Amino acid sequence: MRSLERLLHPKTIAVIGGAQAAAVIEQCRRLGYDGEIWPLHPTRHEVGGLSAFRSLAELPAAPDAAFIGVNRETTVDLVAGLAAMGAGGAVCYASGFREASDEGARLQSALVEAADRMPVIGPNCYGLINYAAGAALWPDQQGGQRLAAGERGVAIIMQSSNIAINLTMQRRGLPLAYMLTAGNQAQTGLSDLALAVLDDPAVTALGLHIEGIDSSTAMEAVAAKARDLKKPIVAMKMGRSAEARAVGLSHSASLAGNDRAADAFFQRLGIARVDSLPSFLETLKLLHMIGPLPGRRLSSMSCSGGEACLMADAISDRRVAFGDIGTRARQDLQQVLGPKVTIAQPLDYHTYIWADQPAMTAAFQAMFSDGFDLNLVVLDFPRDDRCDTGLWWPTIEAAAEAAATCNARTAILASLPENMTEDQAKTLMQRDLVPLCGVTEALDAAEAAATIGEAWAQPAPMPLHRGRVASCEKRHAVDEATAKVRLNLHGIAVPQGCRIDDLSSAAEAAERIGFPLALKVLGLAHKSDSGGLRLNLNNQAALAQAVEDLRGLGQGLYLEAMVAAPVCEVIVGLTRDPQFGLVLTLGMGGVLVEILDDTRCLLLPSSRAELAASLDSLRAAPLLNGYRGRAAADKAALLDLIMAVQDFALAKETSLLELDINPVIVCAEGEGAFAADALIIEEERPHGSFKA
């Protein structure tokens, strides 16, 4: 791996170009950069008020970092020259490379070749700002401030330079240690930048804006380092919608990929994912101040019934919850607040004790002492240009004192972001209170922090099994009969069954297997939709009629036993993602699987505990556990089957493209789980060489 040390912490900076080079000089001045800056321009005598050199050969030495703000063709030549003289690295501002055209792609390859071992960020990016060192290879305005000595902040790595500028303008009190843009990631990827900044003691947490993951292997290394250093990561990955994926093809030339696989990837690595810029910033703020949450139990206090209702509605259907108040805390709260206040979550403590700092301290201590994973105090400040905020500060002082006494993780939450100024947010942070802006964003942040805490509490994940990337040019579907033989050889339970040719062989098989039976047409992907299925055949007459109805359809007939007394139907599927390898899908199955959309994705290999947790997280999980007095499903047998499917997939990874077992019929506890239908799609090999 190329060292980014000189590029990220430069003592000398060469700025090459005109207007953009002058802007870089201005931003370095604004941040108080105390190193040397060497402008370079072939015709100008000065750039940004500094004397300019005419060529690389005139520079006093090889610069630690260079900002190249010229056209794309000249950029390639300058990168070659900088690499030859031993420069520490370069930011390539120019666009028109791989994101633009075939000619641009050729130039991007030439750029990488010219760089050799010298790190290059971009092209098609704004570069980087190190707020701890005051170094800004940045050709535009930006709103951040240099960190004071010993101060820490978050690192943010973006693929979009314009969004990066916007984030530097935030007024939420979030301290920045780095802002970096990756652009086309021609040579130095987002993961390379992440690995480098995580090592900096000034960095507390990492935020990633991702249009396309540069390397899943490298991202695994990033997550592992973040976990070791206790520096949590939150990601905002583009591509949930088809529209976003289409834009990704032309912006930074990135493919968003399989979004559900990406979700599974981030969850596996303990990287939280959020969907909006405000939630991204609020999550970073929470992680910066208190890190991951150990659990999902929250408290909420406000002086308004309306705010309490707002909080109650906002938390519904989330993976965090307002926990019950313990008996002792309930008694203490009632004593402080009086008989007119109902003690419940979210708590409306009314205004009886408003501005009474000792009473408010006692109330907050009573709540905070109950061990909640995060305490939220809802408080919107008045406008400080038209109103008096003085009566609001006793609440802040009381919350700060109670939080310190109880060693409790505590946030002040403004329901409207504009109702907390940047100065107010910074004052709260000085009192060890997290300033959160926006109810939805605050709960997103709490969920994200709890997700990371939950992941870090588990053993580190196994490395992904990617295997050989199979070709998808020639695909071959294996019929159900053959698929079930192969699955059964790998320990996957299937109902007893066999191919039949005519009514005579069907009658003979029925005597051997026993009624009731199912008759299926082979070679049809969706038998129930296309009329290729007959169920609950209870006698020879019904079987004869079914054979008559289905004979001549598809690629033959398959007769099998009906599974007795099923509790529920589950889908177990596998697909191959070019970046993450084999993706396992679990969920409620049957003919309504797409409509229900109650599924979870995991990447292989996954442990039995991870598989069990995924099943428990399904909306329909109560069906597995025994819903409203019904029998509980045989989860042990279901997990045995899923583990066997995983083993089968890993054994066949060189040729397996898809596997669909839908439904897996799960019977009552102790009675098993069976693959009732199966579809295998494999890469077609020369001479049909797939072997069981």
Side-chain angles (χ1 to χ4, degrees):
M1 176 181 170
R2 299 169 177 83
S3 173
L4 298 174
E5 176 64 23
R6 290 172 64 195
L7 179 57
L8 295 181
H9 302 87
K11 294 181 174 58
T12 57
I13 299 175
V15 290
I16 307 171
Q20 284 75 34
V24 170
I25 294 170
E26 172 61 22
Q27 292 308 315
C28 284
R29 285 185 180 133
R30 276 198 57 229
L31 292 177
Y33 175 68
D34 54 9
E36 295 186 53
I37 303 176
W38 302 329
L40 190 153
H41 196 282
T43 59
R44 294 186 187 178
H45 294 292
E46 63 87 22
V47 175
L50 297 177
S51 296
F53 298 92
R54 297 298 181 93
S55 66
L56 292 177
E58 293 183 15
L59 294 179
D64 290 325
F67 178 88
I68 305 175
V70 299
N71 64 63
R72 60 182 185 171
E73 290 83 3
T74 307
T75 293
V76 176
D77 295 335
L78 286 166
V79 164
L82 287 164
M85 68 189 300
V91 168
C92 297
Y93 170 75
S95 60
F97 286 86
R98 182 166 57 91
E99 82 284 358
S101 64
D102 290 342
E103 172 61 15
R106 185 194 67 76
L107 281 170
Q108 184 159 308
S109 296
L111 177 74
V112 173
E113 184 177 352
D116 194 24
R117 298 298 302 167
M118 183 184 74
V120 168
I121 297 177
N124 186 29
C125 77
Y126 266 36
L128 67 95
I129 307 170
N130 181 338
Y131 287 101
L137 281 79
W138 194 264
D140 205 335
Q141 297 185 88
Q142 57 83 29
Q145 291 181 312
R146 184 168 182 171
L147 296 178
E151 193 178 358
R152 307 175 76 202
V154 303
I156 298 178
I157 306 175
M158 307 291 293
Q159 285 194 251
S160 167
S161 295
N162 197 64
I163 296 177
I165 293 176
N166 296 342
L167 291 186
T168 70
M169 305 297 176
Q170 57 87 23
R171 301 183 184 187
R172 297 167 180 255
L174 175 67
L176 301 176
Y178 285 92
M179 179 64 74
L180 304 103
T181 60
N184 286 13
Q185 305 182 82
Q187 177 223 65
T188 301
L190 184 145
S191 300
D192 299 315
L193 296 172
L195 288 167
V197 299
L198 281 171
D199 281 326
D200 195 322
V203 172
T204 57
L206 176 62
L208 303 176
H209 167 264
I210 303 172
E211 293 172 12
I213 296 172
D214 55 327
S215 163
S216 56
T217 303
M219 192 60 70
E220 285 183 293
V222 170
K225 174 175 272 194
R227 184 178 178 130
D228 289 343
L229 296 175
K230 306 300 182 201
K231 297 183 179 183
I233 303 175
V234 58
M236 190 175 73
K237 183 184 181 298
M238 303 295 96
R240 285 202 188 277
S241 67
E243 292 81 2
R245 289 193 292 274
V247 171
L249 289 172
S250 58
H251 187 67
S252 296
S254 297
L255 287 169
N258 182 324
D259 195 65
R260 290 197 175 184
D263 259 346
F265 182 62
F266 290 133
Q267 182 175 349
R268 181 187 187 92
L269 298 185
I271 296 175
R273 184 176 181 183
V274 296
D275 293 329
S276 73
L277 289 173
S279 294
F280 183 69
L281 291 173
E282 295 308 306
T283 301
L284 281 170
K285 203 187 303 177
L286 184 62
L287 295 175
H288 165 71
M289 290 204 64
I290 62 177
L293 296 179
R296 300 180 179 273
R297 182 170 172 260
L298 312 183
S299 78
S300 172
M301 299 180 73
S302 67
C303 65
S304 159
E307 287 174 340
C309 289
L310 183 70
M311 296 299 289
D313 286 346
I315 209 166
S316 62
D317 298 324
R318 284 187 173 270
R319 292 175 293 116
V320 288
F322 293 129
D324 292 334
I325 302 172
T327 302
R328 175 63 185 274
R330 183 180 294 274
Q331 292 171 348
D332 291 346
L333 282 165
Q334 198 75 75
Q335 184 174 352
V336 176
L337 300 176
K340 295 181 181 179
V341 175
T342 300
I343 307 303
Q345 279 260 59
L347 176 61
D348 167 19
Y349 60 81
H350 292 248
T351 55
Y352 303 122
I353 60 171
W354 180 253
D356 182 346
Q357 188 170 324
M360 298 190 83
T361 301
F364 291 143
Q365 272 186 219
M367 181 70 90
F368 297 173
S369 66
D370 206 29
F372 292 98
D373 298 303
L374 179 64
N375 299 284
L376 300 173
V377 177
V378 182
L379 188 72
D380 284 56
F381 289 91
R383 291 179 59 130
D384 57 2
D385 59 340
R386 299 176 184 172
C387 304
D388 181 6
T389 64
L391 291 178
W392 271 249
W393 288 101
T395 305
I396 300 303
E397 299 299 342
E401 182 179 345
T405 300
C406 300
N407 192 26
R409 292 170 291 273
T410 304
I412 304 298
L413 168 57
S415 62
L416 294 175
E418 57 266 33
N419 289 350
M420 182 187 293
T421 67
E422 186 172 22
D423 286 342
Q424 289 164 347
K426 290 180 177 179
T427 300
L428 294 176
M429 295 175 81
Q430 291 168 359
R431 287 164 167 76
D432 292 326
L433 299 171
V434 185
L436 294 178
C437 302
V439 173
T440 298
E441 293 82 358
L443 295 177
D444 284 347
E447 278 189 334
T451 296
I452 299 170
E454 197 173 72
W456 284 8
Q458 302 300 317
M462 295 176 281
L464 283 182
H465 181 93
R466 293 170 181 82
R468 185 182 70 85
V469 178
S471 166
C472 297
E473 292 182 2
K474 294 185 178 180
R475 299 161 61 90
H476 170 66
V478 177
D479 68 36
E480 180 181 350
T482 304
K484 284 184 171 177
V485 169
R486 293 179 181 175
L487 294 175
N488 194 236
L489 287 172
H490 280 264
I492 298 164
V494 300
Q496 185 180 359
C498 64
R499 296 176 188 268
I500 62 165
D501 299 318
D502 51 28
L503 184 57
S504 174
S505 61
E508 181 182 340
E511 291 296 329
R512 184 174 68 256
I513 298 170
F515 292 100
L517 294 165
L519 184 65
K520 306 176 180 183
V521 176
L522 295 172
L524 297 181
H526 302 288
K527 302 176 185 67
S528 55
D529 295 342
S530 54
L533 176 67
R534 297 292 185 272
L535 300 175
N536 294 307
L537 305 174
N538 290 306
N539 51 53
Q540 290 286 0
L543 175 60
Q545 184 61 56
V547 171
E548 181 65 25
D549 292 344
L550 301 182
R551 184 166 25 208
L553 301 178
Q555 299 168 9
L557 298 177
Y558 185 74
L559 186 68
E560 73 176 9
M562 292 286 297
V563 178
V567 172
C568 62
E569 295 183 344
V570 170
I571 182 172
V572 179
L574 279 160
T575 55
R576 183 180 295 281
D577 184 273
Q579 193 161 42
F580 306 120
L582 292 166
V583 182
L584 176 67
T585 299
L586 305 177
M588 289 298 116
V591 295
L592 300 179
V593 61
E594 287 86 6
I595 295 175
L596 295 174
D597 194 23
D598 186 15
T599 59
R600 298 291 181 271
C601 287
L602 300 95
L603 304 182
L604 302 192
S606 290
S607 68
R608 189 181 183 94
E610 290 169 330
L611 297 173
S614 291
L615 290 173
D616 288 340
S617 71
L618 295 171
R619 294 193 302 274
L623 291 175
L624 293 170
N625 299 323
Y627 179 64
R628 302 187 73 171
R630 299 181 184 182
D634 196 338
K635 288 177 68 175
L638 175 58
L639 286 168
D640 287 343
L641 183 146
I642 298 169
M643 290 295 290
V645 167
Q646 177 173 247
D647 292 342
F648 172 83
L650 294 176
K652 306 300 181 187
E653 57 92 12
T654 59
S655 55
L656 181 66
L657 298 177
E658 294 180 35
L659 170 61
D660 189 37
I661 305 177
N662 182 33
V664 173
I665 295 180
V666 190
C667 298
E669 202 164 6
E671 296 181 9
F674 303 89
D677 198 357
L679 172 67
I680 293 174
I681 298 177
E682 62 191 23
E683 180 184 8
E684 191 172 288
R685 313 296 291 277
H687 311 298
S689 59
F690 192 102
K691 296 181 180 178

